[in-house]
Amino acid sequence: MPTAPHAIGSNRLSGRRKQSPSIPAPPGNENSLFGKSLLAIVALIALALLAYSPVLSAGYIWDDPDYVTHNPTLRTWDGLSNIWLSPTSTPQYYPLVFSSFWIEYHLWGLNPAGYHVDNVLLHALSAILLWVALKKLKVPGAWAAAAIFAVHPIEVESVAWITERKNVLSLTFYLAALLVYFRSPNGQKIIDPTTGDVRTHFWRSTAWWVALGLFIAALLSKTVTASWPAAVLVILWWKRSRIHWRDLVPLLPFFIIGIGLALNTAHMEHQQVGAYGSEWAFNWIERSLIAGRALWFYAGKLIWPHPLAFIYPRWTINAHQPVQYLHPAAAVLVVAIFFFLRRRIGRGALAAVLLYGGTLFPALGFFNVFPMRYSFVADHFQYHAGIALIALGVASTTRLLSRWKLPAFYVWMICAAVVADGLWMTRRQVRIYVDPMTLWTDTLSKNPNSWMVHMNLGHAWMDQWKELNAAGQSGPARQAFGKALTEYQISLQLAPELPETHLVVGQAMAETGDYEAAILYYRQTQRLAERSGRAIWYVEVYNSLGLALSATGHPQQAISSYQRAIELRPNYARAHYNLAVELEKQNRIDDAIAQYTRAIELDPDNIQAHYNLGNCYLNQRRLAEAAEQYSTVLRLNPRHAAAHANRGWVFLLAGQNNAAAADFQAALAIDPNLEPAKKGLQKVMPGQIPPVDNR
């Protein structure tokens, strides 16, 4: 006999005739514990804030400079426009993420605490929305599942890492869209509450349009949420044991938009991020092996989150090893078992694993993503998908405890113990994300054979070397540099086939002034980059090589290297600038002017480019243009003494003695020993004693 239709919010979780009794305990019945929903919400917020409070002392780590601290689009209104209209202006086209950073930058600048707090609040909001959604869907232990999600240590990478605003923001919109689609607050429901069917005129429903808007917002935060409409169909099947064509029609726009934006992300991952080449050269059998192992990896970390690493070891995939087929075979077997047992145990278990696998699908290795260079898995990949397994685990445990008829006190103690353990582990894990040195030192202890980890630990030591040098602490600075160089050399030993492992050693050599050694490493970087067909991703080496060649007295080779950099990346402002400097040294002033002009077009705030361009114009007695460049320098840096002095000479040559005298005096007020300003002032005001007030 067919199952009678019923509402999405009904108590029939599995389609079975007999209901499991609810337990008089917190995980199974939120009202018995909290009395009011407000208290449940406050508790979830308190748990998230307590778990992540150590993040208030954290700074910026990996990728954060590209997303925030060195991101020019966050500075101006034009930058905000570029965030939306110029997909290549940001590392990835997630305009809502970068718009949130734009707002934060204009509220508190680059103070990392504000960005971290917002990530935590968004995570807490997602936990609340998850609780509400599970409660509406009558999932046993809804609050406990949301609480575990709020404090589970595997989520730390998504919450404590500012760059992963993508995850916390997109999940918020994802869950909100689900709630609106299934349970409209204004009464205009998409799903008929009495039959569980989709209304015929769904487009007249405000809820449908709001859900579509929230779904698009989720996609514009991270396109892994493109699986949302498929998740809706799984939930409908779970609740009704069937899917009707009328269920598909209102979801068609969701599928079309989701697939379109997901394909755009895949295209940009290839073209803009550079996820192509030999390191991604896997056939579909090998990708299936990666996917099968990843599914079990994340499930295992959700159950036993130890150890957690920022970068996990990259597995060796070999389709000729039969044992590697066990992971995908076991995953298929689990789905098959739950399918055949659906009439006995209900459809909930199968729905949960389908939601888990479907949501995780974009990160399973079937599509190229940049992190596959060094690892096939990452904690933040499972942020959206993991909630399905958390809900399944809690619901199953809740039903089991209800059958045992344990007193409410014992059930509450079990729930409290699990949440407290997660909270403790999360607080400990958050402290790893405080700064790059702490993060990479911890990662190295868990993944000692990763070239990427050694390289980034070298970067952390190099940053410390620069700070110590600036502070005049030469002894500790030398030690820091030695450690950086050691890490770079280990990285090179682990992956000598990669261009960047040679590049970083060359850059370290250049920092010490050993340009001859640097050139050798740069040349090898070039050879490997050209051979791999990925030279465009190593354009930096051509600029660095140009600097080293110039420093060792090879100007023509330096010019050729800069020109190759510009050929690979026409908008490479730094290469245009360095080429202009070299051309100016060769007295090719007209060519230098052209390159300085282009460098300024690409980077209008490059003070030295403006200053040098002004010098070129002054050399050609193009006084008005020279004055304009010096004025721009002084607008950007009013205490640029040399710009004052040179503009003074422009005014002097133009016969504007009073203006010249004012500029010479301004220059000497900044730098009393600046000879061009002294000579200029003596020329325009003979007998005048240069001022010595160094204010």
Side-chain angles (χ1 to χ4, degrees):
M1 186 176 231
T3 304
H6 51 277
I8 293 299
S10 74
N11 285 325
R12 287 189 76 160
L13 282 173
S14 63
R16 291 178 295 164
R17 290 181 173 82
K18 186 176 180 180
Q19 283 294 118
S20 297
S22 59
I23 59 176
N29 188 340
E30 285 76 20
N31 289 334
S32 66
L33 175 64
F34 299 108
K36 293 182 179 180
S37 295
L38 180 61
L39 195 55
I41 292 171
V42 171
L44 289 173
I45 295 173
L47 283 173
L49 293 178
L50 182 59
Y52 287 95
S53 60
V55 85
L56 289 175
S57 60
Y60 297 103
I61 56 171
W62 202 33
D63 281 350
D64 288 345
D66 291 334
Y67 277 70
V68 180
T69 59
H70 297 163
N71 186 349
T73 64
L74 306 186
R75 277 44 173 179
T76 64
W77 285 103
D78 286 341
L80 181 60
S81 175
N82 289 333
I83 285 171
W84 287 90
L85 303 179
S86 179
T88 59
S89 64
T90 52
Q92 292 175 299
Y93 185 66
Y94 294 139
L96 275 179
V97 170
F98 290 102
S99 294
S100 71
F101 289 150
W102 189 94
I103 293 170
E104 290 167 315
Y105 177 82
H106 288 271
L107 288 175
W108 49 70
L110 294 177
N111 183 349
Y115 299 88
H116 283 300
V117 167
D118 283 350
N119 268 20
V120 174
L121 292 177
L122 285 167
H123 179 62
L125 180 56
S126 290
I128 294 168
L129 293 174
L130 176 61
W131 166 62
V132 175
L134 294 177
K135 186 178 179 183
K136 295 297 184 184
L137 292 171
K138 304 298 181 183
V139 176
W143 186 88
I148 290 172
F149 168 75
V151 301
H152 200 295
I154 200 173
E155 317 300 359
V156 169
E157 187 169 294
S158 295
V159 183
W161 187 9
I162 293 173
T163 290
E164 279 309 313
R165 173 68 54 82
K166 298 173 288 188
N167 267 353
V168 292
L169 186 60
S170 62
L171 182 60
T172 299
F173 288 124
Y174 181 101
L175 293 172
L178 279 179
L179 282 172
V180 171
Y181 197 87
F182 285 121
R183 183 71 65 161
S184 172
N186 61 6
Q188 297 181 12
K189 297 177 174 61
I190 302 169
I191 309 296
D192 190 307
T194 59
T195 66
D197 292 331
V198 175
R199 293 187 183 277
T200 304
H201 302 293
F202 62 86
W203 62 86
R204 297 178 181 175
S205 168
T206 303
W208 185 84
W209 289 101
V210 173
L212 181 62
L214 290 168
F215 172 63
I216 293 173
L219 289 171
L220 294 177
S221 302
K222 193 169 187 178
T223 49
V224 71
T225 55
S227 61
W228 185 93
V232 170
L233 291 177
V234 171
I235 294 172
L236 288 172
W237 172 81
W238 163 36
K239 287 297 183 178
R240 302 181 322 197
S241 77
R242 59 183 172 81
I243 296 177
H244 195 272
W245 68 267
R246 285 179 297 184
D247 300 327
L248 294 172
V249 174
L251 290 173
L252 285 178
F254 292 81
F255 275 111
I256 293 170
I257 295 171
I259 292 172
L261 286 177
L263 290 175
N264 178 67
T265 297
H267 172 75
M268 294 187 68
E269 194 75 17
H270 181 277
Q271 295 294 326
Q272 185 171 334
V273 182
Y276 66 89
S278 59
E279 293 147 297
W280 293 267
F282 299 102
N283 59 41
W284 285 102
I285 293 177
E286 292 168 329
R287 291 178 185 272
S288 298
L289 297 179
I290 294 171
R293 187 166 179 178
L295 285 167
W296 289 106
F297 175 87
Y298 293 122
K301 291 297 181 183
L302 285 165
I303 297 171
W304 188 259
H306 180 80
L308 297 175
F310 189 62
I311 291 180
Y312 292 99
R314 191 176 192 258
W315 307 321
T316 300
I317 303 301
N318 188 340
H320 299 292
Q321 292 182 355
V323 69
Q324 295 202 16
Y325 289 84
L326 292 178
H327 292 104
V332 172
L333 181 62
V334 167
V335 173
I337 290 173
F338 284 155
F339 177 78
F340 288 113
L341 293 179
R342 68 190 185 282
R343 298 187 184 279
R344 291 186 58 189
I345 66 174
R347 295 181 296 275
L350 179 56
V353 297
L354 290 176
L355 288 170
Y356 168 69
T359 306
L360 197 56
F361 184 79
L364 288 179
F366 293 109
F367 303 99
N368 288 351
V369 292
F370 188 80
M372 288 173 67
R373 293 196 73 199
Y374 46 84
S375 182
F376 296 121
V377 289
D379 289 349
H380 68 274
F381 285 170
Q382 63 72 52
Y383 186 72
H384 301 74
I387 58 179
L389 291 191
I390 292 174
L392 174 61
V394 172
S396 301
T397 303
T398 300
R399 287 191 177 279
L400 181 63
L401 294 176
S402 71
R403 289 180 182 178
W404 291 350
K405 298 182 180 180
L406 289 180
F409 173 78
Y410 294 110
V411 178
W412 164 244
M413 290 303 296
I414 293 173
C415 174
V418 172
V419 172
D421 185 53
L423 191 150
W424 174 76
M425 288 191 293
T426 293
R427 288 181 60 86
R428 185 177 62 178
Q429 187 71 10
V430 168
R431 292 186 174 92
I432 295 170
Y433 290 76
V434 66
D435 57 48
M437 184 67 74
T438 305
L439 176 67
W440 293 114
T441 301
D442 176 82
T443 308
L444 183 65
S445 69
K446 300 165 182 174
N447 188 6
N449 295 320
S450 169
W451 65 268
M452 178 64 82
V453 176
H454 282 284
M455 179 182 293
N456 280 283
L457 182 56
H459 292 336
W461 281 114
M462 189 63 75
D463 289 340
Q464 191 172 109
W465 169 71
K466 293 176 181 177
E467 293 174 4
L468 292 169
N469 253 349
Q473 301 180 39
S474 58
R478 282 194 298 271
Q479 294 178 1
F481 181 85
K483 291 179 180 179
L485 185 58
T486 298
E487 296 299 332
Y488 289 152
Q489 290 170 334
I490 295 174
S491 178
L492 175 57
Q493 293 169 5
L494 290 169
E497 74 282 1
L498 298 180
E500 54 262 67
T501 59
H502 297 268
L503 174 61
V504 293
V505 178
Q507 290 172 331
M509 294 293 98
E511 289 284 0
T512 65
D514 189 353
Y515 294 109
E516 295 291 353
I519 289 171
L520 295 176
Y521 286 101
Y522 291 152
R523 294 287 193 198
Q524 181 63 11
T525 303
Q526 281 184 318
R527 284 190 287 270
L528 292 172
E530 298 283 357
R531 188 184 307 163
S532 68
R534 292 170 49 83
I536 191 172
W537 302 108
Y538 299 98
V539 65
E540 180 185 0
V541 71
Y542 296 91
N543 184 64
S544 298
L545 178 60
L547 292 170
L549 289 168
S550 177
T552 53
H554 300 88
Q556 293 306 319
Q557 293 182 45
I559 289 172
S560 297
S561 192
Y562 295 137
Q563 289 172 335
R564 176 59 175 156
I566 293 169
E567 178 186 348
L568 291 169
R569 187 187 298 171
N571 293 336
Y572 193 4
R574 180 55 56 180
H576 281 285
Y577 170 77
N578 288 332
L579 176 57
V581 171
E582 200 62 43
L583 291 169
E584 185 181 2
K585 289 179 183 178
Q586 303 304 309
N587 204 32
R588 296 168 56 180
I589 303 302
D590 288 335
D591 292 336
I593 287 174
Q595 293 301 321
Y596 280 133
T597 301
R598 181 59 178 151
I600 289 170
E601 289 174 357
L602 297 169
D603 184 8
D605 294 335
N606 187 332
I607 293 176
Q608 196 61 37
H610 284 287
Y611 178 74
N612 291 358
L613 180 56
N615 292 343
C616 288
Y617 285 139
L618 180 57
N619 179 278
Q620 295 186 339
R621 294 299 188 265
R622 296 163 63 174
L623 302 182
E625 292 161 296
E628 180 183 359
Q629 294 303 317
Y630 294 136
S631 296
T632 301
V633 172
L634 294 170
R635 176 177 57 80
L636 296 170
N637 179 13
R639 292 189 58 79
H640 198 295
H644 273 295
N646 287 6
R647 191 174 67 172
W649 280 100
V650 169
F651 289 143
L652 184 60
L653 291 171
Q656 301 177 37
N657 290 0
N658 290 338
D663 259 332
F664 291 140
Q665 289 174 330
L668 291 168
I670 299 167
D671 182 359
N673 299 315
L674 190 62
E675 286 300 323
K678 287 183 179 181
K679 292 178 180 178
L681 188 58
Q682 288 290 345
K683 190 172 184 66
V684 73
M685 300 177 66
Q688 174 70 37
I689 300 174
V692 294
D693 183 11
N694 188 22
R695 286 175 295 180

